[in-house]
Amino acid sequence: MPYKTLSFQFETLTRAKREMLHQAMEAYSDGLESVLRGLLERVEAEPAKTKNGYLKMMDREILAPLNEKGLEPFKDAIKLDAAMILTTYAGRRRRGKTVRYPSVRVYDGELDALVRRETFSKKEYGAALAKLRRLHPLFFCRYDRGRDYSLLRDTRSGRIYAKLYLYNRQNALLVHPGRGRELCYLPQETETLQRGKKQRYLLLPLRIGPWQERHLEDIRQGRAIPKSAALSEENGKFALHIRLWYEPAAPLACPNTLGVSRGIRDMLAYAVLDAQGRTIEEGTLRREDPQRRSRLHALSGEVLRLAERYRCRILMANLITRSDALSALAAPGMRVGEYNALVQMIAQKAPAYGLEAPVIVSGNGIFSRCPACQEMRRASVFQGNFICVKCGYSHALETLGAVNLAGALKRYGKKKIPVTVRQEQGCIVFCNSRWGIDFTCEETTEALDRFLRYAEEYVKAMAGGRNAREKRFVKQL
């Protein structure tokens, strides 16, 4: 499903409202930390494999502190947030990563106790300091008029408001929409906000620019459906991030390929090749935004627009299991973790552009392979250029990896899967012991066609990929 995240800054907030938001985020962070700590022994003893498994662990005993602290409006959100955090933690442990049990907040007394210990590592101290009184983003599970959050429009001024449920019944506030305002719920705008009641929410005006207005129009027209949201705070400024669901765009026919690799002078390098393997365009991409997430969003958008413009399948390197060895030749413009996060982000956004998720291929040798003759030589770089010692081909090292990625499908297409054919008592046998292929039929002129139909059905039967071996085989076919 294609999702987009729409971010809003708030219009100037009074000191009282800023304090209310800060207190709500602080209470949410404390509640989430309480649930994570309460689950510590259970998770370490028997970790679940899915998000639902962790949700089932959260019984009344674990959730009791939330009711005591008046966090009923956030209970569902805290449960989902904790389950997602623990699912990620357990997944990394299963992959053999050395990871600490997750924590979202550290308190003053805990930091003091760490400092008073005889020995502690710099990394341990830095991690604790980063989480000291940190405000975790406040998660809203759903778009709903009666709970969580919703959006309203002033029919007279056109201003957009966010309605955020932050209080339980005991702490409810008396909130008036204000004189001369008639606030209607998006998207239909047929129901108005009731006035003069004691309410459990805050109404906050949103700052709207052209980008936000475009997506709000999509909401009003039913092209986008608001789902979950998150309230964040940075340097005293609050923002609301709403996740929108869009219908997948009509799939595009993509005869060309777009390879995207890590760059050297810039963050990314790309190359567009046509169906015959001829270069259409090469270049690099860079974004200077200091915020990692904003930077990756901008880069992923540029990659997808390139693929949409040239009708390309996107190919990117698998840097999780194998290195691209770029650091042995030059200083990469992007860290491996950032590149892997970009791959996931592009995969999430691709359906909205009518594109398939990126094809992930091995990054091994993409900066030492000659695109012309396919020879691999790691020591063939001179003054920022790759020079093939076999055929003399030369190419800028910056975009060499992208060119090799873009040509990977064509290179894979040239590979053959060997099938042994033999005669046995008037029959013909097609077999490949490595992949478990064994097909016997009568020796007629239609034998090959019958085997090809068998191979097609064999691939369909294995499409789910029950294990890594079968997945490799289906991918190769």
Side-chain angles (χ1 to χ4, degrees), residues 174-403:
L174 185 63
V175 179
H176 296 278
R179 294 181 180 179
R181 290 189 299 187
E182 185 175 288
L183 301 179
C184 297
Y185 290 97
L186 297 181
Q188 290 88 1
E189 299 188 18
T190 56
E191 183 178 342
T192 58
L193 179 69
Q194 300 300 313
R195 303 167 184 262
K197 292 184 178 180
K198 200 174 183 182
Q199 301 291 355
R200 299 181 293 114
Y201 58 78
L202 281 183
L203 278 176
L204 304 169
L206 300 175
R207 189 172 297 165
I208 306 298
W211 176 256
Q212 287 81 7
E213 183 57 47
R214 170 185 159 189
H215 289 83
L216 286 171
E217 183 62 26
D218 288 341
I219 293 174
R220 285 193 284 265
Q221 297 298 327
R223 293 189 295 267
I225 300 175
K227 294 293 186 178
S228 58
L231 176 69
S232 67
E233 185 271 340
E234 187 172 352
N235 299 325
K237 295 182 179 179
F238 295 91
L240 183 66
H241 311 280
I242 299 176
R243 202 174 185 217
L244 302 179
W245 181 85
Y246 279 80
E247 283 285 350
L252 299 175
C254 297
N256 305 320
T257 55
L258 169 65
V260 182
S261 69
R262 293 196 295 166
I264 299 173
R265 291 188 301 273
D266 291 321
M267 301 185 73
L268 292 175
Y270 68 87
V272 179
L273 304 186
D274 63 15
Q276 286 71 43
R278 296 187 294 262
T279 301
I280 298 175
E281 182 180 331
E282 292 181 17
T284 58
L285 301 173
R286 170 173 288 277
R287 278 292 175 268
E288 300 293 348
D289 195 310
Q291 296 298 320
R292 179 178 183 266
R293 188 170 182 80
S294 299
R295 188 166 63 244
L296 292 181
H297 271 298
L299 288 170
S300 63
E302 289 200 46
V303 169
L304 288 164
R305 285 189 289 273
L306 275 170
E308 183 183 35
R309 185 195 316 159
Y310 289 109
R311 299 293 193 269
C312 296
R313 291 287 302 275
I314 304 172
L315 290 98
M316 301 187 75
N318 176 9
L319 301 186
I320 297 176
T321 57
R322 293 293 294 272
S323 169
D324 59 8
L326 177 58
S327 56
L329 303 171
M334 176 182 277
R335 293 193 296 262
V336 168
E338 207 166 0
Y339 181 86
N340 292 334
L342 180 69
V343 173
Q344 295 180 353
M345 194 172 287
I346 291 174
Q348 292 170 354
K349 292 183 175 184
Y353 290 80
L355 300 167
E356 294 183 13
V359 178
I360 309 303
V361 299
S362 173
N364 182 39
I366 60 173
F367 288 99
S368 55
R369 180 191 298 276
C370 174
C373 69
Q374 305 303 315
E375 181 76 8
M376 288 183 63
R377 296 289 178 91
R378 295 190 181 276
S380 303
V381 178
F382 179 71
Q383 294 184 349
N385 290 306
F386 170 86
I387 302 172
C388 181
V389 297
K390 182 178 179 180
C391 69
Y393 176 85
S394 176
H395 198 282
L397 185 64
E398 179 91 34
T399 55
L400 178 68
V403 171

